[in-house]
Structure formats: structure tokens, C-alpha cells
Amino acid sequence: MNKQLLILACVILCVSCVVGQITNLPWNDVIVLGQQNFATNTRDLSATGLDHPPSLGVSGDSLIVSDYNNLRVVSYNLNNIQSGAAAQLAVNAANLDSTGSFSSNGVEPYSENGTNYVWLGTVGRNGLSDNLVRYTLPLTANQAADPITFQNVDFSTPQGVKVDNQNQLLYAVDTGNNRVLQYSASDLSNPIRIFGQPSANAVGPNRGSTTPSANSLFNPAKVILGCNDDLFIVDSRNNRILYFSNTDTNARFVIGQTSFTTATTGSSPAQLRTPLSAVINPECTFLWVADTNNNRVLKFNIQNLTSNGISAQQQLGTVSNSGPAVDRFSPTDIDLDTRTQRLWIADFNNNRVLGGVTSDVAPPSPSVTPTSTASISSTFTAPVSSTSTASLSVTPTASPSLTSTSIASISSTSTVSVSSTSTASLSS
């Protein structure tokens, strides 16, 4: 009998290992921006308000936030920041009580040769085309974009640019065209590699197939650089994260699916539902994923990524989201402040940004100066069209109806949902 009980216990343990167990990630000293407390989600156009922020990024002591429905990008000073703090400025607005000149889907700060910059993925509104634009930091009010542009490409709802200083490469996330374009930092005229498409002229989801594969994408939302010339791509409409090694355009492993040919959704520790962002720690041991339509952030151990469909160990948030609270959110973007170990979350539906310290985050690595940095050439702006396979419809309750191309179709109601058609649909 004892032997039988021992065997049964072993079987239960093995099943538990396969299915994966998940615990709540510690979430301490949480700060809320855009609201005065954790119980409200009011939309506001002011120095302390936000209206559906989809994206953010940390650069030194600044937090840069895309304030989508207010048509502006705002910057906060992170030194001694407190809940309800006011933004310092809006880069594309006359003042913090005025709407700006454009909306942005993506915010990607980076450093080059001692200077800080931020790439923004802009949306075709107010006579502007979908584009990728760069600004020098620190930001100033009504600042002009840098004269750095891509040539010979028509972007569709681009989400941003990831800069690989070590290898002098840029990755342009061209969401609506279902691809990621890799460029030499010194030549933005033609891509070196294309992730997700067989050629520069192809733009269809999953390379024109109804089934995903190891080399296809459907509305990619983010690129995350690893530590060994590897990278992750958040493949939002395929409900997965793809891992690539040595810049091979065929993925080596997939997170969120058990194979490269499925795109199922779910809420288990090994499943995702329209992930829109991810961030890696400096040691490249953990990956945080914004599992947007599951209303949670998942933490995956990627130290020994050797198989598909690994399970997350910890999570923030709750799948059954029922309104604003410190642990209830719809995360559309995340970033890590390695100085303070604070994880920042763009909480789109609740018109706010949250930032909290996870107690098990490893301390930052010592500062390392790369042997070579990316030098980006200034080239002439190519015409950009606003055609796309994805559509973003923003319908604020207090402002005119706005329509443009994007990864998602967003309306300012009260829940998040994803449609099963050819465009992602987020109802906020």
C-alpha cells in the first residue's frame, strides 16, 4: 500500500511539472499615474490625466508615455515620483491642457554614444501618415523630430524601433504589414532581413496562409533583444512569442503555443491571449510578457529555453478583470526601470500607468560600455501610405470619432475583447 501511495504521489508530481504551477508575483510600492488613486479610471486631458495610454518606455530618470486619445506623448520625471504626479511636458502639444498633433502606438527609448533618444510609432491622423520618428532626449515642448528617416518603405501602423547597438542594427516593427524589418544602423534605405514575410513586397498575415509557421507573423507588436545575438518577437494575433537565434528568420522556439502551426488562446500558465509587449531583465534570465486580453503580466524563466510551450512561473493581475484596482489592469505595454527595479505597465482601459517593484527582480548588472555603437544615418523621408490589414478605431465619449490604421481596433467602453477576424480588436 505504501508503495502504491508513493507511485501515486510521483505521478501527481510529474503531472504538476508538465502542466506548470503559477504563483502571484510580488507587487510592492505601486505608483499610479493618470489617476489620483487605484479605484478610478477617469479619462482626462490635463497634466495629471491620461486618456487610453497604449505604450510607454523608461529612459534614465524619465518615463515617456503615449497618451493616445489626447494625441500627445508626455514625459514624467521618475526621481522621487509619487502617485498622481503631473507630467513635465507633452512633446507634441502647446501645453499639458491641450491636445497634441499626433497619436503614437509605440515608445522605444535607447542610447547611442552617450545621447538618449526615443523612437515613436505614429498613427496616420491629422493629415500625417503612419511612420517611425525619432526624438532626442530630454524632450521639450513642441520639439521637432530628428531628421532620421527610412527610405523605400510604406509602413502600416508601426509600433517602434528596437536598436541593437552592439551589432549596429535596427529592427522596425511594421505591425500592419505583418513583418519586422532589420536594417543596418548606417543605412536605412533597404532592410537586410525581413522577419515574417518572404519578400519586401509581401504584407499578408502569416505569409498569406491561414496557418502560422516558424517564419510567419500576424500583427507583430514588439522586438526584445537577448544577450547572445538573439531576440524575441511578440506575435500578437498568433497569441505567441517567437524566439530567434543568430538573426535567423526562422524561429527556434515559441512561447504561448506548443507548436509553430497553432494560434490558440487560453489562460493557463502556458497560454497567451493577444500579447502586446514584453521586457527582458539585464541578465536575460526572465521575460515579462503583457498578456493583454488575459489582463495579466506573466513572468517566464528563459535561462534554459529548450522547448516550445513553456509555462510562466509567476503572474501579476487577474484574468477575471472587474474594474480598476492595484492588481486589475489591461496591460498593453511594459518596461523595466533597472535603476529601481520598478516594472511599469501601460493600463490602457483604465486610463493610467502603474509602476511597482517586484521583490524577486535581480539587481541591475554593472554598467557596460559597448565596444561599438550604432551610428544612424540621416536620409530623406520616403512617402508613407496608411493602407493596412489592421484597423484602429478610437471612439472617445468626449471627443470626435477618430479612425486610423493600427494593430488593434480600440473603443473606449469597459472591457477587452479580441475578434477572430483579420484584425485585432481591443474594446477598452
Side-chain angles (χ1 to χ4, degrees), residues 40-280:
T40 61
N41 58 5
T42 307
R43 303 159 58 202
D44 187 28
L45 173 60
S46 68
T48 57
L50 294 169
D51 191 344
H52 291 84
S55 186
L56 55 76
V58 176
S59 177
D61 59 1
S62 295
L63 175 67
I64 304 165
V65 177
S66 168
D67 189 11
Y68 195 94
N69 276 8
N70 285 330
L71 298 150
R72 63 183 187 174
V73 176
V74 295
S75 178
Y76 297 86
N77 187 336
L78 291 178
N79 293 324
N80 301 314
I81 194 167
Q82 301 293 324
S83 287
Q88 289 182 298
L89 58 91
V91 65
N92 57 335
N95 55 64
L96 287 167
D97 295 316
S98 303
T99 56
S101 56
F102 63 82
S103 293
S104 175
N105 279 330
V107 176
E108 288 282 5
Y110 79 102
S111 297
E112 175 192 330
N113 296 328
T115 302
N116 295 325
Y117 303 93
V118 61
W119 280 99
L120 302 177
T122 63
V123 177
R125 297 165 68 174
N126 291 348
L128 300 175
S129 299
D130 294 0
N131 209 347
L132 289 166
V133 295
R134 195 189 78 170
Y135 288 84
T136 301
L137 300 176
L139 296 172
T140 58
N142 289 318
Q143 180 178 338
D146 298 338
I148 308 296
T149 55
F150 293 85
Q151 289 182 303
N152 307 317
V153 61
D154 290 338
F155 288 120
S156 176
T157 61
Q159 300 294 297
V161 173
K162 182 65 72 174
V163 178
D164 180 356
N165 278 326
Q166 182 175 350
N167 296 302
Q168 301 194 30
L169 297 171
L170 279 77
Y171 295 88
V173 183
D174 191 8
T175 303
N177 286 326
N178 305 293
R179 64 188 181 180
V180 171
L181 306 173
Q182 182 198 67
Y183 289 87
S184 167
S186 60
D187 182 6
L188 303 185
S189 59
N190 292 291
I192 302 170
R193 292 181 178 87
I194 300 175
F195 294 80
Q197 297 293 355
S199 69
N201 296 322
V203 297
N206 290 323
R207 301 166 71 98
S209 173
T210 57
T211 303
S213 64
N215 61 0
S216 75
L217 296 170
F218 192 172
N219 286 173
K222 195 94 167 182
V223 168
I224 303 93
L225 300 177
C227 293
N228 300 298
D229 295 333
D230 50 356
L231 60 89
F232 297 83
I233 295 179
V234 179
D235 189 12
S236 68
R237 286 302 308 281
N238 284 326
N239 305 296
R240 65 185 187 176
I241 312 289
L242 295 176
Y243 170 75
F244 299 83
S245 60
N246 300 318
T247 64
D248 186 352
T249 56
N250 287 284
R252 186 176 178 187
F253 298 113
V254 59
I255 297 172
Q257 304 292 327
T258 56
S259 76
F260 291 111
T261 57
T262 59
T264 57
T265 63
S267 56
S268 78
Q271 293 177 302
L272 300 170
R273 191 183 302 272
T274 323
L276 291 181
S277 182
V279 66
I280 199 168

Side-chain angles (χ1 to χ4, degrees), residues 43 51-52 69 348-349 351 393-398 410-415 426-428:
R43 303 159 58 202
D51 191 344
H52 291 84
N69 276 8
F348 180 86
N349 283 354
N351 305 298
S393 300
V394 182
T395 311
T397 56
I410 304 174
S411 63
S412 53
T413 53
S414 60
T415 59
L426 297 179
S427 300
S428 53

